[in-house]
């Protein structure tokens, strides 16, 4: 069976229902992913979190590497898989957020690359567009998440010389010293331009940059 490499390939080959699909990104084994099909494109979901999540999020490097949680609910797909996916095509990222008042907002970056493990799963983002604000590439307090390496409680690659940000603040992330946005936390989803550790929900998903039709 010729497995598709991401959710968009699933969509373009006729799988128009959102849900779980078996894919096989380049250079890895089969990978089950949550796909969000928007009627024009297939988005590969890499993260979901909610304010009342059961997930602890404060996990080790290896756990973040291979992912955790429930793919149909709160989860992290896994840095290794995210990295492999983003290195096979040019992807954009969309971050959907629900703020403390229930307003739905979004942030998109027109490029999203996660470098490989030996490069600390460094995050490289493109230009911002959206209505949630941009705390990842243009920060008020000089916490620039773009071009940061990934840190978690047992692996400190952040730019704070005094602490391990992930150990103090909980959850793996592309910390600077420490953060203006952090979506991988239990009970404290933070997006500095939208919510102060009290967002209700976050979803992060990827799509190749092509747009075969306009979203309705
Ligand atoms: Ca540190």
């Amino acid at each position: 069976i010729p497995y598709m490499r991401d959710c968009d390939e699933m969509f373009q080959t006729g799988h128009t229902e959102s849900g779980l699909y078996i894919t096989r990104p380049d250079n890895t084994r089969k990978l089950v992913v949550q796909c969000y099909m928007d009627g024009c494109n297939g988005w590969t979901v890499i993260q979901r979190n909610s304010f009342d999540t059961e997930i602890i999020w404060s996990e080790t490097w290896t756990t973040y590497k291979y992912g955790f949680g429930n793919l149909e609910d709160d989860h992290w797909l896994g840095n290794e898989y995210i990295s492999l996916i983003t290195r096979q095509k040019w992807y954009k990222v969309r971050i959907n957020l629900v703020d403390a008042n229930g307003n739905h907002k979004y942030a998109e970056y027109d490029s999203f690359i996660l470098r490989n493990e030996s490069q600390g799963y460094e995050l490289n983002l493109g230009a911002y567009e959206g209505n949630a604000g941009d705390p990842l590439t243009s920060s008020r307090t000089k916490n620039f998440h773009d071009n940061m390496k990934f840190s978690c409680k047992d692996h400190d690659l952040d730019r704070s010389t005094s602490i391990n940000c992930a150990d103090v603040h909980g959850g793996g992330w592309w910390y600077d010293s420490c953060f203006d946005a952090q979506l991988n936390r239990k009970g404290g989803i933070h997006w500095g331009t939208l919510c102060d550790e009290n967002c209700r929900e976050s979803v992060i998903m990827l799509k190749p940059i092509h747009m075969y039709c306009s979203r309705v």
Side-chain angles (χ1 to χ4, degrees):
I1 301 173
Y3 287 94
M4 299 295 111
R5 296 185 295 166
D6 61 24
C7 291
D8 193 62
E9 291 186 6
M10 296 300 304
F11 181 86
Q12 306 304 341
T13 52
H15 302 86
T16 57
E17 297 284 317
S18 297
L20 298 187
Y21 288 96
I22 301 172
T23 62
R24 186 156 60 197
D26 289 342
N27 303 310
T28 189
R29 293 167 289 187
K30 283 174 279 191
L31 177 67
V32 178
V33 295
Q34 171 75 242
C35 296
Y36 171 63
M37 309 306 196
D38 70 4
C40 288
N41 311 277
W43 295 83
T44 302
V45 177
I46 64 170
Q47 189 260 22
R48 184 180 183 281
N49 194 9
S50 50
F51 73 99
D52 59 351
T53 186
E54 287 185 283
I55 305 278
I56 300 300
W57 289 101
S58 182
E59 298 288 356
T60 63
W61 183 264
T62 307
T63 302
Y64 267 97
K65 180 177 180 178
Y66 295 111
F68 55 87
N70 182 337
L71 286 169
E72 293 191 290
D73 198 344
D74 297 331
H75 71 281
W76 182 253
L77 183 61
N79 286 335
E80 186 63 21
Y81 306 125
I82 298 168
S83 178
L84 287 165
I85 290 169
T86 64
R87 286 184 281 138
Q88 64 186 0
K89 299 175 192 172
W90 182 3
Y91 286 86
K92 68 187 294 183
V93 65
R94 182 180 176 96
I95 299 163
N96 284 336
L97 295 159
V98 181
D99 73 13
N101 299 315
N103 300 307
H104 290 248
K105 305 279 186 175
Y106 75 98
E108 288 188 359
Y109 297 87
D110 67 6
S111 176
F112 180 95
I113 298 168
L114 212 58
R115 299 199 177 276
N116 65 27
E117 184 175 24
S118 70
Q119 296 166 298
Y121 294 123
E122 181 183 308
L123 174 68
N124 297 153
L125 292 170
Y128 163 82
E129 189 271 320
N131 60 14
D134 170 27
L136 295 186
T137 72
S138 67
S139 165
R140 293 162 299 172
T141 56
K142 298 189 172 59
N143 283 322
F144 292 102
H145 299 286
D146 188 22
N147 301 320
M148 292 298 114
K149 292 177 166 58
F150 197 89
S151 290
C152 44
K153 65 181 183 182
D154 64 343
H155 208 84
D156 182 353
L157 297 176
D158 65 45
R159 292 209 297 187
S160 168
T161 54
S162 56
I163 61 167
N164 176 356
C165 292
D167 199 28
V168 172
H169 296 289
W173 193 248
W174 301 278
Y175 289 102
D176 188 346
S177 68
C178 285
F179 65 90
D180 281 348
Q182 215 297 38
L183 304 180
N184 292 346
R185 304 176 78 202
K186 180 178 175 64
I189 301 172
H190 184 69
W191 192 263
T193 52
L194 180 68
C195 55
D196 186 13
E197 308 196 1
N198 60 359
C199 270
R200 291 186 187 176
E201 187 180 304
S202 69
V203 177
I204 308 175
M205 52 194 187
L206 308 176
K207 185 188 79 65
I209 57 162
H210 75 74
M211 190 69 86
Y212 288 131
C213 60
S214 299
R215 201 170 327 141
V216 289

